[in-house]
């Protein structure tokens, strides 16, 4: 049987491959890069659908702290 093909070696692709493998399903992951510096790396593996800017971007921590302590 041919393996299930997963396109993209980010956090979602790799976790999908991991859990499919645990179920006994053969998996092949392909990515256009060497998977050393992807979006998941910039976000430290955190999945944040509501944020399009990587969490590690300059100034994001200070903006997050200011948001947490705003009086709204």
């Amino acid at each position: 049987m041919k393996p299930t093909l997963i396109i993209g070696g980010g956090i979602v692709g790799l976790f999908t491959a991991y859990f499919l493998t645990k179920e006994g399903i053969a998996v092949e992951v392909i990515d256009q890069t060497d998977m050393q510096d992807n979006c998941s790396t910039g976000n430290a593996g955190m999945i944040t659908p509501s944020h399009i800017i990587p969490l590690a971007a300059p100034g994001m921590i200070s903006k997050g702290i200011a948001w947490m302590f705003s009086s709204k």
Side-chain angles (χ1 to χ4, degrees), residues 4-26:
T4 297
L5 185 62
I6 297 176
I7 300 171
I11 192 75
V12 173
L14 293 180
F15 266 92
T16 301
Y18 172 76
F19 283 104
L20 287 173
T21 302
K22 282 184 68 167
E23 294 294 320
I25 299 170

Side-chain angles (χ1 to χ4, degrees), residues 39-51:
C39 293
S40 297
T41 303
N43 282 329
M46 187 171 182
I47 300 172
T48 53
S50 62
H51 296 77

Side-chain angles (χ1 to χ4, degrees), residues 1-70:
M1 180 172 22
K2 293 182 180 181
T4 297
L5 185 62
I6 297 176
I7 300 171
I11 192 75
V12 173
L14 293 180
F15 266 92
T16 301
Y18 172 76
F19 283 104
L20 287 173
T21 302
K22 282 184 68 167
E23 294 294 320
I25 299 170
V27 174
E28 185 174 341
V29 178
I30 61 170
D31 195 275
Q32 65 182 355
T33 69
D34 61 1
M35 294 193 276
Q36 296 293 314
D37 190 27
N38 293 341
C39 293
S40 297
T41 303
N43 282 329
M46 187 171 182
I47 300 172
T48 53
S50 62
H51 296 77
I52 59 169
I53 301 171
L55 298 175
M60 288 304 291
I61 293 174
S62 60
K63 287 180 186 177
I65 292 171
W67 173 78
M68 286 176 25
F69 291 106
S70 68

